[in-house]
Amino acid sequence: KRQVSTQSTGEESNTTKSALWAFEIFGGSTRVPIIQSTLTDYLGDVKLSRHINSDEAAAMGSAFYAALQSSSFRVTEFRLKDGLTYPVEVLVETKDDTPQTNLLFKTHSHLGSKRKLTVKSKDGANVTLSYAEPSTLPEDSFVGLAKYIVGGVPTNKEYNLTADPSITLVFRLSSSGTIDLETAEAELQVNEEVTERVRKVSNKTTNSTDEFKNATGTATGDEKTEKETNEADETKEVKDEKTDEKTDEKSEEKSDDKDKEKKNKK
């Protein structure tokens, strides 16, 4: 079983033995001779390296990662890409439909990722999380992970539903490797009758509108009359100016004639 586990690890990581040039081991179990011989048989010419403290390496890394997640400490930021070790499936059971089993998170799914699942049911659902491949687990491991009861879905007595409610389940793979049902929301299709009130138009409104039109028409007529009067006054003023100019010209001509007569007499 140890040999099978070692081979499956290489296959899942898409890494061949020929691509390896070093293999660092740490942890207390690496001191066990059977573990070392199993790794040596699998790696072949690649030698096992032990350049870090097997007892403190994992503890120090965990401490730094915990400090990075806390706001009380300031440490150099680093990113850790960790994934799920074993695949997890979800079983959804409803009263109206047959149980459905779906793969929720596959192997090496990144921690912190989300998955959505939509189920149609008017009576809620029972949700069960478990490992998808129990044969790959260590001996005496628990297969089941968690159970949830989704209820409180509105019924036809409360709303005039046209179809079964659509329940959306959101699962989150936390940074600790646990899977939680984060939210469960129901979407309803409701048929409602809407009534609108129409206001009646009274005769008073019509009369006032007619009066407004008449008043507007009269005002427009007065404006026209005033405009015509102004134009007539302007025409008279122009005529008076022309008459004055002619009178001045005649008087000038008469004065010139008198001056000529005086000169002739002299």
Side-chain angles (χ1 to χ4, degrees):
K1 190 172 183 179
R2 290 189 297 271
Q3 186 71 24
V4 172
S5 177
T6 306
Q7 292 177 357
S8 62
T9 302
E11 293 173 356
E12 290 173 0
S13 61
N14 296 324
T15 303
T16 60
K17 291 185 289 184
S18 60
L20 299 176
W21 55 273
F23 197 91
E24 188 75 27
I25 60 175
F26 68 93
S29 60
T30 58
R31 296 190 180 95
V32 180
I34 190 63
I35 299 296
Q36 296 181 12
S37 62
T38 302
L39 292 174
T40 302
D41 294 341
Y42 174 74
L43 295 173
D45 297 334
V46 181
K47 294 182 179 181
L48 301 180
S49 301
R50 303 186 66 174
H51 297 91
I52 58 177
N53 191 312
S54 297
D55 295 327
E56 297 179 0
M60 289 291 291
S62 300
F64 273 105
Y65 185 72
L68 182 64
Q69 303 300 317
S70 175
S71 59
S72 302
F73 299 93
R74 291 184 179 181
V75 296
T76 302
E77 185 177 359
F78 64 93
R79 294 182 181 181
L80 177 63
K81 290 185 178 180
D82 201 357
L84 193 64
T85 308
Y86 303 99
V88 175
E89 64 183 9
V90 56
L91 172 65
V92 180
E93 298 175 300
T94 60
K95 293 182 179 180
D96 303 331
D97 201 355
T98 57
Q100 299 179 6
T101 303
N102 298 285
L103 181 63
L104 191 61
F105 292 99
K106 62 182 181 179
T107 308
H108 302 308
S109 295
H110 292 296
L111 300 185
S113 57
K114 289 184 178 182
R115 294 291 185 274
K116 289 184 180 181
L117 183 65
T118 303
V119 181
K120 286 192 175 183
S121 174
K122 60 183 179 181
D123 299 315
N126 296 329
V127 181
T128 304
L129 300 177
S130 60
Y131 287 111
E133 299 176 0
S135 60
T136 60
L137 298 174
E139 294 181 1
D140 301 329
S141 298
F142 290 101
V143 178
L145 297 175
K147 288 186 178 181
Y148 301 94
I149 299 176
V150 180
V153 181
T155 61
N156 260 331
K157 294 181 180 180
E158 299 175 337
Y159 301 94
N160 187 15
L161 303 179
T162 59
D164 290 341
S166 180
I167 304 173
T168 301
L169 307 175
V170 179
F171 299 90
R172 175 185 285 275
L173 178 58
S174 67
S175 59
S176 302
T178 60
I179 302 175
D180 302 317
L181 176 58
E182 194 172 54
T183 58
E185 298 178 350
E187 182 179 348
L188 310 178
Q189 295 182 5
V190 182
N191 186 13
E192 293 184 352
E193 293 183 1
V194 179
T195 57
E196 295 183 358
R197 294 182 178 180
V198 180
R199 295 182 179 179
K200 294 182 179 180
V201 180
S202 61
N203 293 330
K204 292 182 179 180
T205 306
T206 306
N207 294 335
S208 62
T209 304
D210 294 338
E211 291 174 0
F212 176 76
K213 289 182 179 179
N214 294 333
T216 305
T218 304
T220 305
D222 294 340
E223 290 176 358
K224 288 183 178 180
T225 305
E226 185 178 355
K227 187 176 181 181
E228 291 174 356
T229 304
N230 293 334
E231 291 178 353
D233 293 339
E234 291 177 358
T235 305
K236 288 180 180 179
E237 290 177 0
V238 172
K239 289 181 178 180
D240 294 338
E241 290 177 357
K242 290 182 178 180
T243 305
D244 294 337
E245 289 178 356
K246 290 181 179 180
T247 305
D248 293 337
E249 290 178 355
K250 288 181 180 181
S251 59
E252 290 177 357
E253 290 178 356
K254 287 181 180 181
S255 61
D256 292 337
D257 293 337
K258 288 180 180 179
D259 293 336
K260 288 179 181 180
E261 288 177 359
K262 290 179 180 179
K263 288 179 180 181
N264 292 331
K265 286 180 181 181
K266 289 179 179 181

